Amino acid sequence: MFEIKQLRYFVAVAEELNFRRAAERLHITQPPLSQTIKNLEEELNVKLFIRNTHSVQLTRAGEVFFQEALNLLAAAHQSLSLVRQADAGEVGALNIGYSASAIFSSVLTSALAVLLERRPLLELQLHDGNSLDHLSSLRSGQLDAAILRSDIANESARGLRLHFLGEEPLYVLINPSHALAKAEHLFLSDLSDERLLLQPTGKRTFLRHQVEYLSERAGLSLVNTLEVPDISSMLCFVTAGLGIAVLPKSVASIPHGLVSIPLADIGSSRPLTLVSASETPVVLELEKLVNERVKS
């Protein structure tokens, strides 16, 4: 099978129709060029050029092979370019894990927007889940990074890089027509007569666990609750007057037409953290973009 070098040499001669000029263009001497073309013709078992003392012309087979050689060189160049881009993190997939209560972080989303603008061929793949599952996926290499709203123990973080994005306090989201809508702050005990909208127990989210813990400490029975599969649906249900939601500040900050009231219970604030294990150029750039936004 012929080599890339043979194709390059052949194309140079085919375009110049002169061995001397082709050798100069390739920055080699003429004898190795002539030998390479001879070897190529022997491998193909066809004559590619008609040569005499005055001129060099392509044969019919040479004309056909010329187009094929151009296509093969273009494909090889494209493949090499993709490999280099992949090594630099410009192509391929970036796998980001997130907990439902953390993906609304403007620090993360603005950093991702800049990253994708710089690397338009990069494919962003998002993976919903809870903190424990994401930490496991980071260690196994299934995820490149994860945005988590939870307390991460030192043992759980061993071998991973943590980037603190800020504290995420909890807010009570209420329909504007609700009797509590004018309160400056609320305690969970103030919600004893209300229906709370919660994430499903089966998802084992940190937010659900946190609300359960704070409610137990406040003496609030979680009997009157409604499990809602996702946060977007929670906002719709609050708008419809079906209940009250307790959600992080990043969710409360997005436009939704609801009233957001700070939750005053001690321990309602938790850190928002970007956790990463991979050291690819694209992950390191994401970390840099995130840190820049935290400092600004």
Side-chain angles (χ1 to χ4, degrees), residues 57-160:
Q57 297 294 326
L58 283 166
T59 64
R60 182 63 181 272
E63 291 175 354
V64 172
F65 189 67
F66 178 48
Q67 292 303 318
E68 293 300 316
L70 290 175
N71 293 337
L72 288 170
L73 287 174
H77 177 76
Q78 176 69 10
S79 298
L80 180 58
S81 176
L82 287 173
V83 168
R84 288 172 175 168
Q85 287 176 319
D87 183 60
E90 295 175 5
V91 297
L94 174 63
N95 288 278
I96 301 287
Y98 69 94
S99 54
S101 60
I103 193 61
F104 294 90
S105 164
S106 61
V107 172
L108 174 68
T109 53
S110 63
L112 285 174
V114 173
L115 184 67
L116 293 179
E117 183 179 358
R118 292 178 179 176
R119 302 171 184 262
L121 298 179
L122 185 66
E123 179 185 356
L124 178 62
Q125 296 183 355
L126 298 174
H127 305 266
D128 187 12
N130 62 58
S131 299
L132 292 177
D133 290 342
H134 286 331
L135 289 173
S136 175
S137 295
L138 283 166
R139 295 187 184 285
S140 67
Q142 294 175 289
L143 290 178
D144 298 303
I147 178 78
L148 306 176
R149 182 188 173 275
S150 65
D151 292 317
I152 303 175
N154 290 335
E155 184 175 342
S156 300
R158 189 173 301 158
L160 302 174

Side-chain angles (χ1 to χ4, degrees), residues 271-290:
L272 190 64
T273 309
L274 178 70
V275 187
S276 51
S278 170
E279 294 188 1
T280 61
V282 66
V283 172
L284 296 177
E285 184 173 358
L286 175 62
E287 293 173 352
K288 180 181 178 182
L289 288 169
V290 163

